[in-house]
């Protein structure tokens, strides 16, 4: 039996069409877990990154810490979180937030730092306060870089959220883990394919958002003639 037969068996299995083990239900669980992790990561990393990028203080430290955080083993963090907090959403959310925060933090810092200094000075010259310059001038300028950071974080979280199945939670990882445990490789292959497709859709979604986040003049230059 080749992988095409496995995929056919997976997508035509009645258990995967309705009920608690259905594809729609597992995708919903996966998206909810990933979205929650991204929300917490954004609330922690983006405001801090905007502030650091605007003031220029702590940029070197942020870059070093972000690089170190990316090297953390997610499964190891999940195991540690289970030991400290017990089995539950927290055990998965903590490592996923730790995974998503660094690219968001770096994107916020670099996006604000990339704002034209002359534009910032001009905004200050017409009487805008520092918070107004940050929100009205720097943030729109940083939007494409921020969206690139969100795209990176989202794809990483979607791919890594499968570890939730290791601690008995839901999501698409259930197919991968359960399929391997029961030697039902059609389930494993189907679950892995769904994770890949979800990541690709996220990539395309943020690529489209980033295009519309460009200034109108730049967007017009990128259109095919």
């Amino acid at each position: 039996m080749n992988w095409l037969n496995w995929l056919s068996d997976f997508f035509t299995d009645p258990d995967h069409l309705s009920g608690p083990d259905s594809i729609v239900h597992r995708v919903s669980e996966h998206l909810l877990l990933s979205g929650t992790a991204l929300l917490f990561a954004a609330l922690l990393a983006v405001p801090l990154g905007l502030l650091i990028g605007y003031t220029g203080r702590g940029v070197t430290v942020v870059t070093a810490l972000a690089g170190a955080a990316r090297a953390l083993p997610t499964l190891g963090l999940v195991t540690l979180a289970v030991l400290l907090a017990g089995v539950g959403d927290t055990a998965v959310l903590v490592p996923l937030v730790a995974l998503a925060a660094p690219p968001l933090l770096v994107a916020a810092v670099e996006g604000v730092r990339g704002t034209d200094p002359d534009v910032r000075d001009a905004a200050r010259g017409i009487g805008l306060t520092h918070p107004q310059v940050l929100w009205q001038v720097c943030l729109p300028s940083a939007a494409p870089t921020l969206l690139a950071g969100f795209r990176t974080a989202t794809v990483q979280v979607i791919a890594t959220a499968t570890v939730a199945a290791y601690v008995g939670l839901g999501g698409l990882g259930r197919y991968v883990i359960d399929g391997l445990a029961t030697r039902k490789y059609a389930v494993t292959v189907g679950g892995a394919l769904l994770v890949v497709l979800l990541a690709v859709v996220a990539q395309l979604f943020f690529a489209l958002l980033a295009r519309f986040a460009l200034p109108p003049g730049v967007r017009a230059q990128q259109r095919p003639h």
Side-chain angles (χ1 to χ4, degrees):
M1 180 179 291
N2 57 35
W3 62 274
L4 287 177
N5 296 128
W6 286 341
L7 290 178
S8 176
D9 291 344
F10 174 78
F11 286 105
T12 57
D13 188 333
D15 289 337
H16 299 154
L17 300 179
S18 61
D21 200 36
S22 67
I23 292 173
V24 172
H25 183 69
R26 293 303 184 195
V27 169
S28 299
E29 289 179 329
H30 204 89
L31 289 175
L32 179 61
L33 182 62
S34 301
T36 303
L38 286 167
L39 176 61
F40 284 127
L43 291 175
L44 291 171
V46 173
L48 180 61
L50 294 177
L51 181 61
I52 292 173
Y54 187 78
T55 62
R57 298 174 182 173
V59 174
T60 303
V61 175
V62 165
T63 303
L65 289 178
R70 289 172 179 169
L72 292 173
T74 304
L75 189 55
L77 287 176
V78 170
T79 304
L80 179 62
V82 169
L83 293 175
L84 295 177
V87 176
D89 292 346
T90 303
V92 178
L93 285 176
V94 168
L96 289 182
V97 169
L99 178 70
L104 295 178
L105 181 62
V106 172
V109 171
E110 294 303 323
V112 173
R113 291 184 70 202
T115 305
D116 190 337
D118 293 335
V119 174
R120 290 176 55 167
D121 292 341
R124 288 289 293 154
I126 63 174
L128 293 184
T129 64
H130 285 296
Q132 287 175 326
V133 174
L134 176 59
W135 292 106
Q136 298 179 26
V137 177
C138 296
L139 185 57
S141 175
T145 306
L146 267 174
L147 286 173
F150 269 102
R151 178 172 63 181
T152 300
T154 300
V155 171
Q156 289 178 344
V157 168
I158 287 175
T160 311
T162 53
V163 299
Y166 279 103
V167 292
L169 299 179
L172 294 174
R174 279 262 61 90
Y175 292 138
V176 178
I177 301 302
D178 292 348
L180 288 173
T182 59
R183 296 178 181 258
K184 294 180 178 179
Y185 299 118
V187 177
T188 299
V189 171
L193 177 62
L194 287 174
V195 174
V196 172
L197 292 177
L198 211 56
V200 170
V201 169
Q203 283 268 25
L204 295 175
F205 174 72
F206 280 103
L208 184 62
L209 281 184
R211 180 174 179 81
F212 283 101
L214 291 172
V218 177
R219 199 186 311 159
Q221 293 176 5
Q222 291 188 348
R223 290 175 183 170
H225 298 288

